[in-house]
Amino acid sequence: EVKRKAMDIARKENDVLTLVDSSAGNGCPVIASVNDSDSVIAVTEPTLSALSDLNSGLTIVNLFGIH
């Protein structure tokens, strides 16, 4: 809901960039965050568990065909 409102405002304002933050992993919040996105910037911390979450999230990104 918050993302949808932000996107509506961005369209009205003719904004070309909207940043959406997401949790780690591949759960529903990640899917909702990347859905309808043109691009993704993935940021993580340098730990093995964070790398695992990053890989999971990027799997979702790739399934959506986002670059």
Side-chain angles (χ1 to χ4, degrees):
E1 182 66 27
V2 172
K3 181 181 171 186
R4 187 176 311 126
K5 287 182 182 181
M7 297 302 289
D8 288 342
I9 292 168
R11 276 189 216 95
K12 289 176 186 172
E13 299 288 328
N14 293 318
D15 289 341
V16 295
L17 178 66
T18 303
L19 298 177
V20 178
D21 191 15
S22 176
S23 60
N26 60 2
C28 291
V30 175
I31 293 169
S33 295
V34 301
N35 188 33
D36 294 328
S37 295
D38 297 319
S39 299
V40 170
I41 299 171
V43 179
T44 190
E45 60 185 41
T47 64
L48 289 177
S49 62
L51 181 60
S52 176
D53 284 343
L54 176 65
N55 287 330
S56 295
L58 291 178
T59 298
I60 298 298
V61 169
N62 289 329
L63 287 174
F64 276 91
I66 302 168
H67 48 272

